[in-house]
mmCIF file of all heavy atoms in Angstrom:
data_model
loop_
_atom_site.group_PDB
_atom_site.id
_atom_site.type_symbol
_atom_site.label_atom_id
_atom_site.label_comp_id
_atom_site.label_asym_id
_atom_site.label_seq_id
_atom_site.Cartn_x
_atom_site.Cartn_y
_atom_site.Cartn_z
ATOM 1 N N MET A 217 -151.856 168.508 -94.271
ATOM 2 C CA MET A 217 -150.986 168.587 -93.060
ATOM 3 C C MET A 217 -151.692 168.229 -91.795
ATOM 4 O O MET A 217 -151.211 167.728 -90.824
ATOM 5 C CB MET A 217 -150.234 169.947 -93.086
ATOM 6 C CG MET A 217 -149.108 170.122 -94.062
ATOM 7 S SD MET A 217 -148.432 171.872 -94.064
ATOM 8 C CE MET A 217 -148.067 171.935 -92.311
ATOM 9 N N MET A 218 -152.876 169.010 -91.775
ATOM 10 C CA MET A 218 -153.596 168.748 -90.469
ATOM 11 C C MET A 218 -154.096 167.374 -90.311
ATOM 12 O O MET A 218 -154.112 166.857 -89.196
ATOM 13 C CB MET A 218 -154.883 169.717 -90.464
ATOM 14 C CG MET A 218 -154.495 171.240 -90.487
ATOM 15 S SD MET A 218 -153.454 171.776 -89.051
ATOM 16 C CE MET A 218 -151.802 171.715 -89.729
ATOM 17 N N VAL A 238 -147.104 169.470 -85.300
ATOM 18 C CA VAL A 238 -147.326 170.773 -85.632
ATOM 19 C C VAL A 238 -147.610 171.682 -84.529
ATOM 20 O O VAL A 238 -148.337 171.206 -83.539
ATOM 21 C CB VAL A 238 -148.590 170.890 -86.616
ATOM 22 C CG1 VAL A 238 -148.783 172.333 -87.003
ATOM 23 C CG2 VAL A 238 -148.289 170.119 -87.876
ATOM 24 N N ASP A 239 -146.883 172.735 -84.473
ATOM 25 C CA ASP A 239 -147.109 173.736 -83.262
ATOM 26 C C ASP A 239 -148.463 174.057 -83.040
ATOM 27 O O ASP A 239 -149.166 174.577 -84.015
ATOM 28 C CB ASP A 239 -146.218 175.073 -83.505
ATOM 29 C CG ASP A 239 -146.182 175.855 -82.362
ATOM 30 O OD1 ASP A 239 -147.029 175.809 -81.477
ATOM 31 O OD2 ASP A 239 -145.167 176.625 -82.286
ATOM 32 N N GLU A 240 -149.086 173.951 -81.815
ATOM 33 C CA GLU A 240 -150.449 174.246 -81.553
ATOM 34 C C GLU A 240 -150.809 175.600 -81.819
ATOM 35 O O GLU A 240 -151.968 175.884 -82.328
ATOM 36 C CB GLU A 240 -150.744 173.958 -80.040
ATOM 37 C CG GLU A 240 -150.570 172.509 -79.688
ATOM 38 C CD GLU A 240 -151.684 171.594 -80.170
ATOM 39 O OE1 GLU A 240 -152.693 172.102 -80.748
ATOM 40 O OE2 GLU A 240 -151.568 170.355 -80.144
ATOM 41 N N ALA A 241 -149.805 176.542 -81.801
ATOM 42 C CA ALA A 241 -150.103 177.984 -82.030
ATOM 43 C C ALA A 241 -150.645 178.186 -83.483
ATOM 44 O O ALA A 241 -151.247 179.242 -83.763
ATOM 45 C CB ALA A 241 -148.877 178.825 -81.704
ATOM 46 N N LEU A 242 -150.031 177.325 -84.421
ATOM 47 C CA LEU A 242 -150.480 177.492 -85.809
ATOM 48 C C LEU A 242 -151.827 177.217 -86.032
ATOM 49 O O LEU A 242 -152.378 177.486 -87.074
ATOM 50 C CB LEU A 242 -149.453 176.618 -86.692
ATOM 51 C CG LEU A 242 -148.101 176.945 -86.726
ATOM 52 C CD1 LEU A 242 -147.339 175.915 -87.499
ATOM 53 C CD2 LEU A 242 -147.821 178.339 -87.421
ATOM 54 N N MET A 243 -152.427 176.310 -85.202
ATOM 55 C CA MET A 243 -153.861 175.894 -85.359
ATOM 56 C C MET A 243 -154.851 176.664 -84.519
ATOM 57 O O MET A 243 -155.927 176.387 -84.583
ATOM 58 C CB MET A 243 -153.912 174.436 -84.911
ATOM 59 C CG MET A 243 -153.080 173.471 -85.894
ATOM 60 S SD MET A 243 -153.328 171.750 -85.431
ATOM 61 C CE MET A 243 -152.123 171.531 -84.253
ATOM 62 N N ALA A 244 -154.272 177.791 -83.849
ATOM 63 C CA ALA A 244 -155.160 178.614 -83.043
ATOM 64 C C ALA A 244 -155.854 179.531 -83.948
ATOM 65 O O ALA A 244 -155.586 179.727 -85.093
ATOM 66 C CB ALA A 244 -154.269 179.382 -82.044
ATOM 67 N N ASP A 245 -157.056 180.037 -83.411
ATOM 68 C CA ASP A 245 -157.838 181.026 -84.189
ATOM 69 C C ASP A 245 -156.939 182.165 -84.675
ATOM 70 O O ASP A 245 -156.147 182.698 -83.937
ATOM 71 C CB ASP A 245 -158.980 181.597 -83.224
ATOM 72 C CG ASP A 245 -160.069 182.258 -84.139
ATOM 73 O OD1 ASP A 245 -159.586 183.174 -84.888
ATOM 74 O OD2 ASP A 245 -161.226 181.927 -83.996
ATOM 75 N N VAL A 254 -143.968 184.513 -82.460
ATOM 76 C CA VAL A 254 -143.889 183.371 -83.348
ATOM 77 C C VAL A 254 -143.007 183.468 -84.490
ATOM 78 O O VAL A 254 -143.101 184.550 -85.121
ATOM 79 C CB VAL A 254 -145.305 183.003 -83.674
ATOM 80 C CG1 VAL A 254 -145.284 181.885 -84.798
ATOM 81 C CG2 VAL A 254 -146.241 182.581 -82.588
ATOM 82 N N ASP A 255 -142.134 182.555 -84.731
ATOM 83 C CA ASP A 255 -141.206 182.681 -85.902
ATOM 84 C C ASP A 255 -141.834 181.803 -86.993
ATOM 85 O O ASP A 255 -141.759 180.614 -86.990
ATOM 86 C CB ASP A 255 -139.892 182.125 -85.487
ATOM 87 C CG ASP A 255 -138.835 182.135 -86.666
ATOM 88 O OD1 ASP A 255 -139.204 182.684 -87.724
ATOM 89 O OD2 ASP A 255 -137.715 181.592 -86.415
ATOM 90 N N ASP A 256 -142.403 182.483 -87.864
ATOM 91 C CA ASP A 256 -143.065 181.796 -89.014
ATOM 92 C C ASP A 256 -142.110 181.201 -90.053
ATOM 93 O O ASP A 256 -142.471 180.253 -90.840
ATOM 94 C CB ASP A 256 -143.899 182.797 -89.883
ATOM 95 C CG ASP A 256 -145.177 183.193 -89.051
ATOM 96 O OD1 ASP A 256 -145.661 182.471 -88.195
ATOM 97 O OD2 ASP A 256 -145.639 184.403 -89.282
ATOM 98 N N ASP A 258 -139.507 179.210 -89.014
ATOM 99 C CA ASP A 258 -139.051 178.088 -88.324
ATOM 100 C C ASP A 258 -139.755 176.885 -88.863
ATOM 101 O O ASP A 258 -140.983 176.463 -88.470
ATOM 102 C CB ASP A 258 -139.155 178.149 -86.852
ATOM 103 C CG ASP A 258 -138.543 176.868 -86.089
ATOM 104 O OD1 ASP A 258 -138.066 176.010 -86.733
ATOM 105 O OD2 ASP A 258 -138.823 176.847 -84.827
ATOM 106 N N ARG A 261 -141.772 174.088 -86.770
ATOM 107 C CA ARG A 261 -142.956 174.279 -86.143
ATOM 108 C C ARG A 261 -144.145 173.699 -86.932
ATOM 109 O O ARG A 261 -145.252 173.478 -86.443
ATOM 110 C CB ARG A 261 -143.269 175.843 -85.962
ATOM 111 C CG ARG A 261 -142.284 176.444 -85.223
ATOM 112 C CD ARG A 261 -142.587 178.019 -85.023
ATOM 113 N NE ARG A 261 -143.900 178.304 -84.536
ATOM 114 C CZ ARG A 261 -144.806 178.881 -85.304
ATOM 115 N NH1 ARG A 261 -144.641 179.192 -86.482
ATOM 116 N NH2 ARG A 261 -146.017 179.080 -84.642
ATOM 117 N N TYR A 262 -143.942 173.350 -88.194
ATOM 118 C CA TYR A 262 -144.895 172.688 -89.030
ATOM 119 C C TYR A 262 -144.814 171.258 -89.070
ATOM 120 O O TYR A 262 -145.531 170.586 -89.927
ATOM 121 C CB TYR A 262 -144.629 173.362 -90.491
ATOM 122 C CG TYR A 262 -144.848 174.806 -90.594
ATOM 123 C CD1 TYR A 262 -143.973 175.713 -90.306
ATOM 124 C CD2 TYR A 262 -146.155 175.347 -90.863
ATOM 125 C CE1 TYR A 262 -144.080 176.982 -90.331
ATOM 126 C CE2 TYR A 262 -146.369 176.759 -90.986
ATOM 127 C CZ TYR A 262 -145.289 177.598 -90.681
ATOM 128 O OH TYR A 262 -145.476 179.000 -90.701
ATOM 129 N N GLY A 263 -144.230 170.672 -88.191
ATOM 130 C CA GLY A 263 -144.068 169.206 -88.119
ATOM 131 C C GLY A 263 -142.886 168.582 -88.785
ATOM 132 O O GLY A 263 -142.435 168.960 -89.953
#
Side-chain angles (χ1 to χ4, degrees):
M217 285 173 55
M218 294 303 99
V238 175
D239 190 337
E240 296 288 348
L242 294 171
M243 295 182 276
D245 192 310
V254 172
D255 180 6
D256 289 329
D258 182 5
R261 297 180 59 243
Y262 295 85

